Amino acid sequence: MSHEHLQADCIFCKIIRGEIPSFKITETDKSYAFLDINPLSEGHALIIPKYHAEYFHQVPDDVLADMLPLAKKVALAIGLEGNQYNLLQNNGRMAHQEVFHVHFHIIPKPDTEKGLKIGWPQMKVSKEDLEKTYNRIKID
Ligand code: AMP
């Protein structure tokens, strides 16, 4: 993939172009994997598209289709003991996005203190409300 879809002033586009150093794990024609510079646990890695998009839903399907197999390869290379890890992708400031170039995190969870800490504020909803939501969202 040429660099025509990259942006001049994006930090992750600069990493792809080699203008900023990174601990590259591997890359394909369409995606790039490297170590997170401020890891939540040892091995914390990022998978990014070689296509500048701020949000997940803006990435072309062929690029997305390249990213997940690469994420799987990287997960296996990290050596995720006991299969304890999170695959995370944040969209928007409120959803904890800090770098506005799409990225998947692979975050090992070696113990309760390291890795991702998750709040899981489940709502109580009625069957009617669930049905309303379902009717709004269902595609087929
Ligand atoms: P997010 O909160 O999902 O936007 O995560 C952005 C991630 O990018 C953070 O975990 C940062 O530590 C990481 N990060 C920012 N700059 C760099 C960099 N130059 N090299 C590697 N990781 C970076």
Side-chain angles (χ1 to χ4, degrees):
M1 189 172 225
S2 72
H3 287 174
E4 64 179 311
H5 297 292
L6 301 182
Q7 270 193 2
D9 56 353
C10 164
I11 184 165
F12 284 178
C13 287
K14 286 182 180 174
I15 283 177
I16 291 165
R17 280 196 301 265
E19 292 166 16
I20 290 180
S22 70
F23 287 97
K24 181 181 96 173
I25 299 167
T26 185
E27 69 184 314
T28 66
D29 190 37
K30 294 176 179 171
S31 6
Y32 187 97
F34 59 113
L35 288 181
D36 194 297
I37 205 168
N38 292 125
L40 298 185
S41 57
E42 199 250 337
H44 182 167
L46 301 173
I47 318 296
I48 60 176
K50 292 183 177 177
Y51 181 105
H52 182 84
E54 293 189 0
Y55 306 116
F56 171 70
H57 58 272
Q58 297 169 333
V59 181
D61 288 357
D62 63 311
V63 181
L64 281 181
D66 186 79
M67 289 176 76
L68 276 188
L70 192 73
K72 178 173 149 185
K73 233 176 163 177
V74 171
L76 291 169
I78 293 169
L80 301 152
E81 217 167 293
N83 296 323
Q84 316 280 335
Y85 66 99
N86 294 96
L87 182 61
L88 176 72
Q89 202 276 310
N90 300 326
N91 294 280
R93 252 181 231 297
M94 272 210 282
H96 207 285
Q97 185 174 10
E98 284 174 9
V99 176
F100 284 79
H101 179 125
V102 169
H103 49 281
F104 286 92
H105 296 258
I106 299 173
I107 311 170
K109 187 73 183 168
D111 56 55
T112 52
E113 286 315 302
K114 296 195 191 97
L116 187 66
K117 294 191 178 169
I118 305 176
W120 202 257
Q122 289 179 305
M123 305 188 298
K124 290 257 179 280
V125 291
S126 64
K127 187 164 169 266
E128 290 72 33
D129 281 347
L130 265 186
E131 224 156 52
K132 246 193 247 169
T133 304
Y134 173 67
N135 286 326
R136 183 176 70 75
I137 293 176
K138 74 175 175 188
I139 294 168
D140 297 316

